[in-house]
Amino acid sequence: MFYCSHCQKYYPEDTHLWRCNCGTPFSYLYSEQLSFPKEKIKVRDNTIWRYWEALTGVNKENITSLGEGMTPLIPALLEGRKILFKLEFISPTGSFKDRGTSFFISKLKGRNITRVIEDSSGNAGASLAAYCAYSGIKCEIYVPEYTSAGKLLQIEMYGAKIKKISGSREDTSIAAIQAAREHYYASHNWNPYFLQGIKTIAFEIWEQLLWQVPDNIIVPAGQGSLVLGCHLGFNELKTAGEIKKVPRIFAVQAANCAPLYQAFYHGLSDPVKIEKKETMAEGISSAFPIRGREVLSVIRESNGEIIAVEEKEIVNSLPKVIKLGFYIEPTSAVATAGLAQLFSKNIIKETESTVVILTGSGLKATDKIGKLTQAQTGNKDDSLFDNTSLKI
Ligand SMILES: [Zn+2]
């Protein structure tokens, strides 16, 4: 069942609406009591579906999995301190989004949906295109006309149809929503199914730490789906009596596009309207976080914080992480740059256990990483270090 927390109104899951009439995104409600039978979980396949008793509303024959989940949790030394990296960048399409898409498409298969529309040229679009390809669902991705061919290649190769829309990013969303009057709008930001898959990252961290939770989780945040997924997963574990405390969640934004940070800093409940500047952390460049109010609320509830990092800090952190052997995209380096800040301000203490989620693969961002390398060796474009004139 879908639910609007603003109007406190319930909707059937087969509603033609993709959000409540009041404009609020739906939540996904279920009445089943979730359980985590450890002996069964331990011997199941290494996918998100090993937590079967906590993934409600899907029939087994509709499970659509490309082997997402059970990504390694690896110790590393960063900024002189021991932490744990969760390697989401080795997911089937190169990002953590595959967790959400696997649940999402499994649900849609059960509803006999054969064609979907989405507006994303990034990791979510690639993930949706891959799972649609695997399950035989037709997929159309709406993108702004100015989107580079390189960014679209992965999506196109999976066989999705690309529709280029002139005008702004918002015009693209409007066109996708209009088209969705006839076909299913599979928006990973609006649709509540997506977070059901993302929450499995919390279950996995708990299992990999031998049924314990860390003190802190650090994630990059744009729309904040990873924040919400972590919060949901850890709280479900707590409700089921498996853990006593929930980790503090720290969300890190790029200062050039930080509506959540601005709201958190000023003690507000809703994201602040901002003038977005270009950032190399393209995956979290969201000026209007749809579930922003919820993100702010759960961060506060976890006793965590939202912080922001400058482009220089991202540039500084990315090669440090890659040189440890983790080939990540610049968006993931927002989290590691944030960690450096949290260490230096002593918000996170040396004795605490901390997991940093490395969200996306550097193999998708070859051009950007190449430009950074040129700038760092000092023979090309210094403007990369200048926040106001960043050109990617
Ligand atoms: Zn409503």
Side-chain angles (χ1 to χ4, degrees), residues 28-188:
Y28 179 55
L29 288 190
Y30 33 86
S31 52
E32 295 93 332
Q33 189 131 23
L34 308 186
S35 66
F36 299 87
K38 293 176 192 155
E39 295 309 313
K40 285 186 185 169
I41 290 170
K42 281 195 285 191
V43 294
R44 286 180 180 153
D45 287 349
N46 286 326
T47 74
I48 63 165
W49 297 96
R50 67 200 275 112
Y51 308 106
W52 172 247
E53 292 83 359
L55 294 169
T56 65
V58 175
N59 290 330
K60 275 196 172 153
E61 66 269 23
N62 294 324
I63 289 178
T64 307
S65 174
L66 288 169
E68 65 295 313
M70 282 316 271
T71 55
L73 188 67
I74 304 287
L77 203 62
L78 191 69
E79 309 294 339
R81 298 208 203 167
K82 204 176 159 191
I83 48 137
L84 290 160
F85 280 138
K86 181 78 171 144
L87 309 193
E88 290 294 285
F89 64 90
I90 65 163
S91 300
T93 74
S95 90
F96 76 98
K97 308 268 183 186
D98 292 341
R99 293 176 184 277
T101 312
S102 176
F103 186 90
F104 195 171
I105 294 297
S106 302
K107 270 302 245 186
L108 297 191
K109 267 184 88 176
R111 291 176 50 187
N112 294 319
I113 284 164
T114 55
R115 190 168 169 177
V116 298
I117 287 169
E118 156 79 302
D119 49 332
S120 162
S121 56
N123 287 334
S127 183
L128 186 71
Y131 282 77
C132 282
Y134 187 65
S135 61
I137 292 175
K138 286 197 179 84
C139 176
E140 274 178 51
I141 307 279
Y142 281 58
V143 299
E145 205 169 42
Y146 55 76
T147 308
S148 70
K151 265 186 87 178
L152 297 180
L153 189 60
Q154 188 184 10
I155 296 171
E156 281 184 309
M157 289 304 291
Y158 286 131
K161 198 170 158 191
I162 304 282
K163 279 250 187 192
K164 291 186 178 169
I165 306 296
S166 59
S168 67
R169 175 67 182 85
E170 283 67 39
D171 293 328
T172 302
S173 284
I174 292 164
I177 288 163
Q178 271 171 356
R181 285 183 187 152
E182 287 175 46
H183 304 292
Y184 192 86
Y185 184 39
S187 166
H188 62 287

Side-chain angles (χ1 to χ4, degrees), residues 4-9 11 20-24:
C4 171
S5 57
H6 181 70
C7 309
Q8 300 181 343
K9 206 172 154 190
Y11 291 83
C20 180
N21 285 324
C22 75
T24 304

Side-chain angles (χ1 to χ4, degrees), residues 253-271:
Q253 295 215 286
N256 278 2
C257 182
L260 294 168
Y261 163 72
Q262 293 292 346
F264 186 84
Y265 186 77
H266 295 288
L268 306 173
S269 306
D270 288 294

